[in-house]
Amino acid sequence: MYPKKDADSPRINVLLSYSLLSSIFNISPHTGLERLKAILLESGHYCEIYDPNVDKDPDAILKRVKAGEFQIVGFSVAHSGVPNLDWQHKLMKASKNSDKRCIFVGGGEQATFNDEFWLEFGIDLLFIGFAEKMLVEFCHRLSLDPNGEICSLVEGINGVSYMNESGEKISKLRDPLTRDEFQYLSYDLILKSDTDYHKYWNHNRQRISDLRVSEKMRNSFVIEYTQLYTNSHCAWDCGFCSTSQYLRKTQADNLQVLMISAEQLYELVEVYASKYGTKLFSFCEDDFVIGNRVGKQRVMDFCEMVIEGKKDGRLDPDVGFYCQNRIDNFLERKKTSERAKIKERVVNYELLSKMGEAGWRCMSFGVETLSDKLLNCKSINKRVTSKECRAVLDAAIKLVPAPQLNLILGIPESTPEDLVYDMNAGVEYLQKGYAVQTALILGAYPGSPIYYDEKNYPRTYKKYKTPFGKTLEISDDIPPFDPLVRHACMTAKETIDSEIEKLRKFTPWKKGYFPRMMFTIINFMVVARELGRSDLEQRYMEVFQELVPKKSGSDPYRI
Ligand code: SF4
């Protein structure tokens, strides 16, 4: 797919690094970096990945960078990582002080949407959109001209961002990602890539064995899991979301959703299950099903193949799946009675139950709110009704063992009544068996539609001091408009960690891991208190106590 380097030109040594994560419990290989590594090796260069979350001895890798072992060092930049960029600092310092020339590069969603920030941070060159093609071409050119200036090395390469000699930012959109290119990157390369899953699984196994959880709970964690990306992007445009805009903004042409076929998807699953022993496949794209006819048919066909594969012994019957969804993926238009004049959107039970039958253990729904008003306000823009959300959620809990629901409490347009309504809905779904996850405030993500409407969606900024002493600002939150909602959600955001520390001693999870449902109910308690609703705070406290497992026998953890 991409040209190989000239046989007689030297190879380029590339080090790619993952960011240091503070609280991720189950760490897995970074698919994007693994794919870059595979393509660099295939095109004749060398690539190594250092993951500071799992790999030991960071000083040793920094020493190797400093000694000039790598000509390129790169990492994937993330908005949520700012301002905790210590690891990136160290890597950058080592590469800039390297005994030989070492170029510091970055990629990922925020390299596209916030390139100015990352160039100011000190990155020499950013790759925009799917970076494989441009990185390979850049390595070929660097190999032929090791001392070339960046602006001459990238001449004619689209999909890069850098500062020219006069300090002016130059950004060029990427060439459109083609169907063949997407399939090559997401199927061919993934099929033959060689990832050290066992390093990650052993790490996670160790972390889980350190947890103070029951044997039953420990056994319910699936260690052997693999992340796959099987389509290019979500075609929706929720107001607060940047990820769906990523590919669309990286290239000049309008982009259709690209996907690998059901057959390719099944082949990846069968190969990974037998080659690595994967037990849980997590489809990590924002919208696995893709709500159109082709997307739904792809999932139905894939499920049929899985069911057949499990029946005839090609696939372990215990292999399971997880994906993220939009509610409307599970809605279809039907006449609800003979006399009905129009078709209504009703639950697509066939699709949900087929996924359940194939082995979906978990699916998460980014509902954000169950209020009709908020579902359709500009910052959310889900274009579904509360009734439709509830119908899908109530159907999913019967067909999938562990569904998840995501809510945002501090939606800018929310009133105190809306907030109470959503917290009560959250409790209702917690009690129905959903793992409810909440965000207290909407983030101001570069790239999201409302990010570009600062007049109507004012935001807060956080300051960040670069390693070169420059102070940069980066957007942080979009606070709710209503003063009481703003006060309640912002105060909860500031105090939630200390509230959790106070309350966790009454649970079996005294330190480290703390279940998501407990976070959620504590969020509700604090927000209710700050709203001045002691009645609700008391009610949520009772739910908290119901959720805390009993000590052996019937002796509860008392509060
Ligand atoms: S929030 Fe989910 S459904 Fe909405 S645009 Fe983003 S990825 Fe798509």
Side-chain angles (χ1 to χ4, degrees):
M1 169 62 65
Y2 304 138
K4 296 200 187 323
K5 80 169 179 60
D6 291 348
D8 46 1
S9 65
R11 73 175 196 188
I12 295 295
N13 294 335
V14 180
L15 174 72
L16 299 174
S17 176
Y18 199 20
S19 304
L20 190 58
L21 305 167
S22 52
S23 61
I24 296 279
F25 165 68
N26 220 356
I27 295 172
S28 65
H30 189 287
T31 312
L33 297 189
E34 293 290 339
R35 200 160 61 183
L36 285 167
K37 178 180 168 182
I39 193 86
L40 285 167
L41 295 177
E42 190 164 280
S43 57
H45 298 287
Y46 172 75
C47 181
E48 204 171 308
I49 295 177
Y50 183 82
D51 184 341
N53 303 289
V54 176
D55 292 324
K56 308 263 169 342
D57 207 354
D59 289 339
I61 196 80
L62 292 172
K63 230 185 241 169
R64 288 173 59 199
V65 173
K66 175 95 183 26
E69 223 182 279
F70 302 97
Q71 285 91 51
I72 295 179
V73 169
F75 74 100
S76 171
V77 303
H79 187 79
S80 56
V82 185
N84 305 315
L85 298 172
D86 288 355
W87 172 244
Q88 286 87 338
H89 272 186
K90 286 182 183 158
L91 258 186
M92 182 164 69
K93 223 167 115 193
S95 61
K96 300 225 180 226
N97 294 331
S98 169
D99 294 345
K100 297 190 189 137
R101 185 186 195 196
C102 179
I103 300 173
F104 196 54
V105 305
E109 181 193 310
Q110 289 302 316
T112 301
F113 292 132
N114 210 4
D115 51 352
E116 214 152 305
F117 177 90
W118 293 103
L119 292 171
E120 292 279 6
F121 171 77
I123 293 181
D124 300 316
L125 176 64
L126 291 167
F127 293 102
I128 292 177
F130 278 50
E132 288 79 3
K133 183 178 169 187
M134 295 87 80
L135 180 59
V136 166
E137 178 60 25
F138 184 73
C139 286
H140 292 347
R141 293 186 183 191
L142 187 64
S143 145
L144 295 170
D145 183 8
N147 296 315
E149 291 295 330
I150 288 186
C151 34
S152 76
L153 288 170
V154 297
E155 209 177 309
I157 301 183
N158 289 329
V160 289
S161 191
Y162 59 96
M163 296 285 193
N164 69 11
E165 283 146 352
S166 19
E168 187 192 348
K169 186 187 83 173
I170 308 289
S171 276
K172 295 185 229 164
L173 293 178
R174 190 196 190 280
D175 297 331
L177 184 70
T178 64
R179 191 168 301 276
D180 285 350
E181 198 181 352
F182 180 77
Q183 297 220 347
Y184 171 68
L185 294 172
S186 304
Y187 165 68
D188 299 80
L189 262 191
I190 299 293
L191 196 59
K192 56 187 174 198
S193 78
D194 200 12
T195 302
D196 189 356
Y197 279 101
H198 292 281
K199 174 173 78 178
Y200 283 84
W201 294 346
N202 289 337
H203 173 88
N204 291 335
R205 200 168 280 122
Q206 181 58 47
R207 288 189 67 168
I208 284 167
S209 70
D210 294 343
L211 292 179
R212 300 170 136 268
V213 293
S214 68
E215 201 55 34
K216 188 174 158 216
M217 195 163 187
R218 188 166 294 135
N219 293 337
S220 70
F221 291 115
V222 182
I223 299 285
E224 299 85 0
Y225 91 102
T226 292
Q227 298 184 341
L228 292 175
Y229 290 82
T230 73
N231 66 46
S232 59
H233 65 289
C234 168
W236 226 240
D237 46 10
C238 299
F240 65 92
C241 175
S242 60
T243 57
S244 63
Q245 307 294 322
Y246 170 45
L247 267 198
R248 297 187 239 177
K249 293 263 165 72
T250 59
Q251 49 189 61
D253 281 8
N254 275 345
L255 176 71
Q256 288 198 327
V257 178
L258 305 171
M259 61 184 107
I260 62 171
S261 68
E263 289 76 12
Q264 290 170 327
L265 178 49
Y266 177 74
E267 190 183 353
L268 287 179
V269 164
E270 203 181 283
V271 166
Y272 270 61
S274 83
K275 180 173 165 186
Y276 297 110
T278 301
K279 294 246 167 56
L280 179 69
F281 289 89
S282 173
F283 300 122
C284 285
E285 53 264 80
D286 290 321
D287 178 20
F288 171 70
V289 175
I290 314 166
N292 62 16
R293 191 183 52 76
V294 181
K296 287 179 185 170
Q297 192 56 49
R298 180 181 83 134
V299 178
M300 288 295 277
D301 293 346
F302 169 68
C303 290
E304 287 293 354
M305 289 175 210
V306 168
I307 293 164
E308 281 306 304
K310 286 185 175 182
K311 240 188 243 162
D312 65 23
R314 282 175 291 125
L315 194 60
D316 181 345
D318 285 342
V319 163
F321 305 97
Y322 160 84
C323 69
Q324 310 186 82
N325 297 292
R326 299 198 320 248
I327 285 288
D328 64 296
N329 286 337
F330 299 103
L331 293 172
E332 58 182 345
R333 286 212 175 268
K334 265 194 181 159
K335 280 199 174 175
T336 47
S337 73
E338 283 291 306
R339 289 164 50 201
K341 290 217 172 73
I342 48 164
K343 290 182 178 173
E344 267 184 54
R345 292 209 297 185
V346 294
V347 176
N348 185 340
Y349 284 98
E350 195 192 354
L351 180 58
L352 266 176
S353 54
K354 191 60 81 182
M355 291 170 80
E357 192 186 343
W360 247 263
R361 292 201 189 135
C362 182
M363 47 173 74
S364 80
F365 293 95
V367 170
E368 327 308 352
T369 169
L370 282 158
S371 137
D372 270 320
K373 181 192 103 186
L374 296 179
L375 277 165
N376 293 294
C377 68
K378 186 176 171 187
S379 69
I380 299 296
N381 191 29
K382 289 279 173 188
R383 288 180 271 164
V384 283
T385 65
S386 177
K387 188 175 157 207
E388 290 169 340
C389 292
R390 285 174 174 278
V392 170
L393 295 174
D394 292 342
I397 188 84
K398 294 186 194 124
L399 300 165
V400 177
Q404 296 176 8
L405 167 62
N406 300 331
L407 293 175
I408 301 170
L409 296 184
I411 292 173
E413 292 89 342
S414 185
T415 61
E417 294 72 31
D418 296 327
L419 184 52
V420 168
Y421 177 84
D422 270 336
M423 290 194 293
N424 286 339
V427 168
E428 178 191 334
Y429 278 93
L430 263 178
Q431 290 177 323
K432 282 181 176 172
Y434 267 83
V436 179
Q437 186 165 335
T438 44
L440 283 162
I441 297 283
L442 205 60
Y445 301 116
S448 62
I450 59 167
Y451 179 80
Y452 301 103
D453 184 5
E454 184 156 11
K455 188 164 156 258
N456 290 311
Y457 291 93
R459 70 278 330 253
T460 58
Y461 287 88
K462 50 190 171 188
K463 288 202 184 334
Y464 172 72
K465 199 161 180 195
T466 72
F468 308 110
K470 201 166 180 178
T471 301
L472 303 177
E473 277 196 329
I474 192 159
S475 58
D476 194 5
D477 294 329
I478 299 190
F481 305 149
D482 181 279
L484 185 55
V485 175
R486 182 165 61 238
H487 162 78
C489 293
M490 297 294 265
T491 309
K493 187 184 169 195
E494 277 156 28
T495 58
I496 196 69
D497 289 344
S498 60
E499 292 288 341
I500 287 169
E501 283 317 305
K502 259 190 254 160
L503 286 166
R504 70 186 300 157
K505 59 176 179 277
F506 303 108
T507 75
W509 306 285
K510 308 263 184 276
K511 57 179 181 172
Y513 170 77
F514 198 57
R516 189 175 298 164
M517 62 184 178
M518 305 309 282
F519 269 112
T520 295
I521 198 69
I522 296 175
N523 274 340
F524 291 171
M525 283 158 58
V526 179
V527 170
R529 183 192 314 150
E530 297 302 327
L531 282 176
R533 292 290 306 267
S534 52
D535 56 324
L536 272 185
E537 185 189 0
Q538 179 57 35
R539 192 180 145 223
Y540 298 152
M541 173 61 91
E542 285 159 19
V543 178
F544 174 87
Q545 284 173 312
E546 280 165 26
L547 292 173
V548 174
K550 306 280 177 288
K551 277 185 188 169
S552 53
S554 58
D555 183 15
Y557 290 82
R558 297 234 169 262
I559 298 182

